[in-house]
Amino acid sequence: MNKLMSQTGSESAWGEARLRLEDYLRALRLTDDNNWREEIVARLMKQAAVDAAQSPGAEPTRLLMKQLNAAVARWAGHMNCSPELAVPAGLINWFALEPQARRPENFLPENNSPGRPLPSGVQLVRATPDLRISRMVPLPLANPLLEAVSLPARIGKLAREQQRKLRQGTSAALTVLPTWLGVRLH
Amino acid sequence: MILDDRNYGTVAGDRRWGFVIFNLVLWWVGMVPMAMQVYESGWTAGGLALLAVYAILLAQVVYGFTLAATGWWLLRRGGDPVRINATLPADAEADALPPTAVVIPIYNEDVGRVFQAVGAMYESVQTTVGGGSFHFFILSDSTDLNTWLAEEKAWFELSQKVRGFGQIFYRKRRHSLHHKSGNLADFCRRWGADYRYMIVLDADSVMTGAALVRLARLMEANPRVGIIQTNTQLVLGRSLFQRINQFASHVYGPLFVAGANFWQLDNANYYGHNAIIRLRPFMKFCAMPELPKLGALGTRILSHDTVEAALMRRAGYEVWSAYDLEGSYEESPPHLLASLQRDRRWCHGNLQHLWLLAAPGMTVASRVNLWLGIMAYVGSPLWLAFLVLSPLLFLGEHNFPASGSVFVYVLALLLVPKLLGALHLIASTPQLKAGDGRWRVFRDVLAETIGSVILAPVLMLFYTQFVWASFFGDGVAWGRQKRTDESGPTWSDLVSAHLGHALVALAAAVLVAGIVPALLPWLLLVLAGPVVAIPLSRLLASNSLGALSRRRGWWLIPEETNPPQELQQILEPFATSPHRFPALLAHSPDFGFLQAVLDPYLNTIHVSLLRKRSPGSARTRNYLAALGHRLLCDGPRTLTPGEKKAVLWDAETMLLMHQKIWADRALEVSLWWAAAFRIYNQFNRQKSVRAAGWPADETGQAPQFQLGLVRDIGSG
């Protein structure tokens, strides 16, 4: 692994990337177990090193984060979520696991095929149920008081509309009239 | 149906006519001396105006008295035989529960309080019936971004703690259209078809699992019932104001609601929360109509609940009050100013009902309910008019005997309900009969009565202003309701609220003392309240006085001496995982943003709760990408609140920014983000070291050399 790394980036760049990954995993609250976290870091470093050999010049931090996201997306692959948001979907379902189910072999299993059963205790996290759209529209009150009150407003609206039409008509007439007159004069 | 159709019509008719006649007799008794006095003064125009105002006010006072007296009489007889809560068949417990949604609309509320209550109710339902058919929906309209993010975290961690995923839901509306009624209508349109019933709660409501389940069973047993409203008990009061209010609601409330049930029966009112609603007719018949835009009163109806009850009744469904159902609670505002802030909105909403009084198809009882809601506020300017007119018209003639008899009669109508409340409490609580229990009740009622007499004119002046503002002002803003206030109102708030009234009252006292000195002792009853309102309002808002009164055994209610499990649970702080930022960062105005972008845990929760963006136009995508770039490279201060909101609503931008800030070392982020990122990681490393048990000497704050940067971020 060290050999691969030395081919793809400086030792300090990999060291910084490792530190960043450790920070991220700590902030992620993936687990409180330091050994567990170390194990994940080591496995992701290994996968990133292989990746680095295939894409020379790639920045180590980016490679490591890509590996982490890929691992989470694989975990989320069991949950039929959209690929664009597979990472948050995978993570939130991981957070929702019972503490005893949060084991390294569940997060980064050796066999990570889509057919692999989910660990027991997984509760699929959904903020809302599926939509079932219905109609809810106000019925007319046909209230004489409301009718009377809204009459001035309705008359005003009608008057404004007529005024607008008149303006439009006048402006059209003013546009057409010279042309028409011109034609007539000719 | 409580009685069969044939009997019900007779019983309802008899009761309503009896109630009206009783009211009319009492009203007539009070009208005669006043009419005599006007007659003796020669039927002047002023006298007739005064008589008209008095007639309306007396009707209102008589109605209150009749409610309390009827309620007391019914409760003394062991309760009303015609009540919805008595309709459950003995074998109802065996029936499967219908799908029921418990909905809690929230708007910039205390997040811990809301979610603690949801947790308590969820667990209570689980204990009662094993849950299953009850789903809880927190329907957020919060506009504060920090509150929004806190709500998401609280929802996730509560669901995790009580294993409530799939039964506790959270929905944040993108556009808070039409306030609370719009929020509920949005729920109905999205998920209403999945549920038979909806139990509506306020952000400060709590109900026991037993009460929630019983409401659903009562609806099942009565298929013609559209709404059942419970009688909510005020609880968890801390300030003196809250404690006295909850004592009053405990002592007098049962009488009034039992009395109201006597005549309302299947035409009760709905108060907007702590009630169950049959969803299908609600969605079909109770959508809020739009009012014509005329003056300040127009457009959307603010007090939607009474209208919904009237519309439900118009559609042929019954509306009942389960006034004797226990386990339904809410909190009262912490002080007078907060209560008045709420009243301002209620006043405006109730006055909008004026347009609906003539709506065709509504029952007479629904119109009476609408009218009573209007009079609750319009009564105040009428009282003020009466107080100003009566001395001007009569006291020059020194006709005291008739004025005295009217005064005593009205006072008796106002005070006897309080006495009846105390008598009922003593009679129905065996513990109070022993020792000095009964004297304590009388002492507390007397003290509460003195307080309410002093406060009544203060409220009258405010309500008069509210009525004026509703008709001629600029409308009313929909603000966050103040439910808790540790420090109480400031002196400047109190002075600006009460000083005008105090000066008017002092001027009136000086005027009366100069013109009719004999009247001054009578008017002192009215003028004393506004004069002392500033210090009184401050004292009532005091939590320490509230605690002292509780320790001394004043205004105690059973929920204080023996609180149910659900209330005990709410008193405990809501435990969420602590955030992983130094305390100073938490004071940043952009703290919510900081967390949602930087913290992987919170970013995950936030992004997971957002809907996937529909493939919008290239323009939208470019706009959001540009905002994200500006946010990272120039810092959040360069974005307007609207732009921040746009970014927070877009899952892909939020995810992209989060990944960029963690994985893209080449990205030149602003100093704000660079500092926040460094401090955040430093802090978490130290926490991790402490968690591993290694020696550490930090104080939980960022290291000294970074404090300057922290302060920079903290100040936004």
Side-chain angles (χ1 to χ4, degrees):
Chain A
M1 187 168 76
N2 285 342
K3 191 181 164 193
L4 277 174
M5 283 178 174
S6 63
Q7 289 168 3
T8 55
S10 69
E11 200 172 318
S12 69
W14 277 101
E16 281 175 18
R18 183 193 169 99
L19 200 62
R20 177 67 59 93
L21 180 66
E22 283 173 350
D23 282 341
Y24 191 81
L25 291 176
R26 197 178 295 115
L28 193 54
R29 308 175 207 189
L30 207 57
T31 172
D32 291 329
D33 185 337
N34 284 337
N35 297 331
W36 203 104
R37 206 161 44 229
E38 286 301 313
E39 193 183 328
I40 295 177
V41 170
R43 287 169 76 169
L44 291 174
M45 290 282 284
K46 195 173 155 188
Q47 288 165 358
V50 175
D51 205 5
Q54 289 162 4
S55 39
E59 215 276 314
T61 309
R62 200 172 281 186
L63 286 174
L64 270 177
M65 295 304 279
K66 192 177 139 197
Q67 284 304 324
L68 174 65
N69 286 343
V72 177
R74 276 197 298 276
W75 153 263
H78 302 283
M79 291 161 194
N80 299 326
C81 48
S82 71
E84 295 91 341
L85 301 177
V87 172
L91 283 175
I92 202 163
N93 282 291
W94 175 264
F95 297 147
L97 277 181
E98 293 292 303
Q100 61 271 22
R102 294 197 205 178
R103 294 194 300 270
E105 63 271 24
N106 279 336
F107 188 69
L108 289 175
E110 294 299 335
N111 163 27
N112 210 349
S113 62
R116 184 179 62 85
L118 285 169
S120 61
V122 168
Q123 309 174 68
L124 289 182
V125 175
R126 300 172 70 203
T128 54
D130 290 335
L131 289 180
R132 216 175 129 202
I133 301 293
S134 313
R135 276 169 60 81
M136 186 174 175
V137 286
L139 297 176
L141 275 174
N143 183 345
L145 193 62
L146 286 179
E147 296 286 322
V149 163
S150 59
L151 197 61
R154 279 176 23 215
I155 291 171
K157 194 177 166 190
L158 202 67
R160 278 195 301 277
E161 210 164 291
Q162 291 303 322
Q163 209 177 357
R164 188 177 54 80
K165 279 184 184 166
L166 194 67
R167 266 205 307 271
Q168 277 176 351
T170 315
S171 97
L174 287 175
T175 320
V176 172
L177 199 64
T179 322
W180 181 78
L181 275 175
V183 171
R184 295 292 292 173
L185 286 173
H186 273 286
Chain B
M1 194 66 206
I2 290 175
L3 301 168
D4 65 57
D5 284 349
R6 195 165 34 106
N7 285 344
Y8 178 74
T10 316
V11 168
D14 289 352
R15 281 179 172 221
R16 284 171 185 164
W17 276 116
F19 192 80
V20 168
I21 290 166
F22 189 52
N23 267 280
L24 278 175
V25 169
L26 290 176
W27 180 78
W28 185 251
V29 170
M31 281 301 290
V32 170
M34 193 68 178
M36 291 299 290
Q37 199 165 344
V38 175
Y39 168 71
E40 282 164 19
S41 67
W43 294 116
T44 59
L48 285 172
L50 184 74
L51 190 65
V53 171
Y54 173 75
I56 299 170
L57 292 174
L58 183 66
Q60 200 183 10
V61 173
V62 163
Y63 174 72
F65 171 83
T66 315
L67 279 189
T70 314
W72 180 77
W73 170 68
L74 285 169
L75 293 174
R76 291 294 298 142
R77 292 174 67 223
D80 193 337
V82 189
R83 62 186 199 277
I84 191 79
N85 200 20
T87 57
L88 217 51
D91 58 348
E93 300 292 313
D95 296 340
L97 280 164
T100 305
V102 181
V103 298
I104 304 124
I106 56 174
Y107 179 74
N108 296 331
E109 305 288 347
D110 174 354
V111 176
R113 163 67 179 78
V114 169
F115 284 86
Q116 190 72 314
V118 173
M121 288 187 282
Y122 176 80
E123 289 183 326
S124 182
V125 169
Q126 296 289 320
T127 315
T128 311
V129 285
S133 59
F134 276 74
H135 287 175
F136 289 75
F137 285 81
I138 297 119
L139 306 174
S140 172
D141 263 352
S142 298
T143 47
D144 180 68
L145 301 183
N146 291 353
T147 307
W148 172 19
L149 293 163
E151 285 167 5
E152 290 179 333
K153 182 177 176 228
W155 166 76
F156 179 74
E157 295 192 349
L158 172 71
S159 305
Q160 194 177 27
K161 183 180 151 201
V162 299
R163 296 183 62 81
F165 290 114
Q167 290 187 69
I168 301 176
F169 298 107
Y170 172 83
R171 190 277 277 120
K172 165 86 176 81
R173 265 205 307 175
R174 189 163 191 153
H175 303 291
S176 306
L177 208 60
H178 304 327
H179 315 306
K180 185 179 163 186
S181 66
N183 197 353
L184 290 175
D186 182 78
F187 164 82
C188 292
R189 290 189 187 105
R190 286 166 188 270
W191 300 291
D194 287 336
Y195 300 94
R196 197 175 301 167
Y197 306 119
M198 163 172 84
I199 297 178
V200 184
L201 298 177
D202 252 2
D204 60 356
S205 298
V206 193
M207 287 182 78
T208 60
L212 291 168
V213 170
R214 191 167 177 89
L215 278 180
R217 292 204 190 286
L218 284 170
M219 291 296 265
E220 282 291 271
N222 297 280
R224 279 164 57 175
V225 174
I227 300 176
I228 301 178
Q229 172 67 56
T230 63
N231 175 34
T232 50
Q233 169 63 45
L234 296 178
V235 290
L236 303 178
R238 295 177 59 204
S239 68
L240 201 56
F241 182 77
Q242 287 174 308
R243 292 205 62 248
I244 295 175
N245 267 350
Q246 66 190 27
F247 172 79
S249 121
H250 176 69
V251 181
Y252 318 130
L255 271 59
F256 284 96
V257 288
N261 184 69
F262 176 81
W263 77 267
Q264 287 176 330
L265 297 169
D266 59 353
N267 214 132
N269 214 342
Y270 163 49
Y271 298 116
H273 57 92
N274 293 49
I276 189 166
I277 293 172
R278 192 177 296 276
L279 265 168
R280 191 170 290 182
F282 183 76
M283 288 160 64
K284 195 169 176 189
F285 302 111
C286 300
M288 277 296 97
E290 192 92 31
L291 293 173
K293 191 168 173 54
L294 189 81
L297 272 187
T299 66
R300 296 298 299 184
I301 298 174
L302 292 184
S303 295
H304 54 95
D305 34 28
T306 313
V307 182
E308 282 159 351
L311 293 174
M312 187 66 98
R313 196 69 199 89
R314 187 172 79 153
Y317 286 86
E318 298 169 7
V319 179
W320 282 89
S321 157
Y323 66 89
D324 55 339
L325 180 71
E326 291 187 352
S328 177
Y329 308 105
E330 66 170 324
E331 292 180 54
S332 86
H335 48 73
L336 183 61
L337 292 191
S339 175
L340 288 167
Q341 187 191 1
R342 188 181 66 175
D343 274 320
R344 170 76 185 89
R345 209 174 60 239
W346 283 0
C347 171
H348 191 93
N350 286 11
L351 292 183
Q352 288 177 318
H353 296 167
L354 277 168
W355 301 135
L356 304 169
L357 282 174
M362 286 190 184
T363 61
V364 175
S366 293
R367 291 182 213 277
V368 172
N369 285 337
L370 291 168
W371 174 252
L372 290 171
I374 294 165
M375 281 307 294
Y377 293 98
V378 173
S380 288
L382 291 179
W383 273 112
L384 186 62
F386 181 77
L387 286 170
V388 173
L389 278 177
S390 51
L392 290 180
L393 288 170
F394 293 118
L395 284 165
E397 301 166 18
H398 302 290
N399 197 355
F400 280 100
S403 308
S405 65
V406 168
F407 178 77
V408 169
Y409 184 65
V410 172
L411 204 62
L413 290 176
L414 289 170
L415 296 182
V416 168
K418 292 181 182 281
L419 180 67
L420 294 179
L423 290 174
H424 167 67
L425 183 68
I426 293 165
S428 61
T429 319
Q431 300 91 307
L432 290 175
K433 289 179 186 162
D436 61 349
R438 67 185 71 185
W439 301 118
R440 278 186 178 208
V441 172
F442 283 121
R443 176 200 67 185
D444 293 348
V445 166
L446 183 67
E448 186 277 333
T449 304
I450 293 169
S452 62
V453 167
I454 297 172
L455 273 186
V458 179
L459 295 180
M460 176 188 72
L461 292 173
F462 273 108
Y463 289 179
T464 304
Q465 274 182 289
F466 295 166
V467 170
W468 178 268
S470 294
F471 283 117
F472 308 109
D474 303 326
V476 60
W478 188 266
R480 174 184 175 244
Q481 190 167 317
K482 195 169 260 191
R483 303 187 196 275
T484 55
D485 195 348
E486 289 302 318
S487 53
T490 61
W491 283 106
S492 68
D493 287 343
L494 291 168
V495 168
S496 73
H498 296 292
L499 185 63
H501 296 163
L503 292 176
V504 168
L506 279 173
V510 170
L511 201 68
V512 170
I515 300 169
V516 200
L519 185 62
L520 193 60
W522 295 78
L523 273 187
L524 273 182
L525 270 176
V526 179
L527 300 177
V531 171
V532 301
I534 295 173
L536 181 68
S537 191
R538 188 69 196 84
L539 286 177
L540 287 173
S542 163
N543 283 344
S544 48
L545 276 182
L548 180 69
S549 64
R550 186 173 169 171
R551 280 199 302 277
R552 297 281 169 90
W554 283 74
W555 300 297
L556 283 174
I557 59 169
E559 286 77 10
E560 286 179 323
T561 49
N562 188 21
Q565 177 61 33
E566 292 79 3
L567 294 185
Q568 286 181 36
Q569 215 166 319
I570 288 173
L571 289 173
E572 293 163 15
F574 181 64
T576 54
S577 63
H579 64 71
R580 300 197 165 190
F581 290 83
L584 271 172
L585 282 183
H587 297 304
S588 163
D590 287 307
F591 182 55
F593 225 125
L594 186 70
Q595 293 181 90
V597 173
L598 209 53
D599 188 313
Y601 174 73
L602 296 173
N603 178 270
T604 297
I605 295 175
H606 178 66
V607 172
S608 305
L609 266 63
L610 295 175
R611 276 200 305 279
K612 186 177 169 294
R613 185 206 299 166
S614 55
S617 64
R619 196 175 159 194
T620 311
R621 287 197 300 275
N622 292 341
Y623 169 71
L624 288 166
L627 284 185
H629 185 78
R630 257 175 62 205
L631 181 75
L632 288 184
C633 298
D634 304 333
R637 264 180 283 185
T638 58
L639 267 64
T640 64
E643 288 172 333
K644 286 177 191 170
K645 202 173 155 192
V647 170
L648 270 176
W649 267 108
D650 190 60
E652 286 166 41
T653 310
M654 287 302 293
L655 194 59
L656 191 69
M657 285 197 306
H658 173 71
Q659 286 171 352
K660 269 188 175 177
I661 208 163
W662 277 96
D664 194 349
R665 297 181 79 94
L667 181 74
E668 288 195 3
V669 293
S670 70
L671 181 66
W672 194 91
W673 283 111
F677 190 71
R678 198 161 61 242
I679 294 163
Y680 173 74
N681 280 323
Q682 187 81 28
F683 187 71
N684 277 311
R685 277 179 218 151
Q686 288 164 353
K687 277 178 79 81
S688 177
V689 167
R690 278 205 302 277
W694 296 338
D697 60 354
E698 337 77 34
T699 56
Q701 299 294 325
Q704 281 301 314
F705 70 91
Q706 288 175 335
L707 275 179
L709 285 173
V710 174
R711 287 199 188 102
D712 251 12
I713 294 166
S715 65

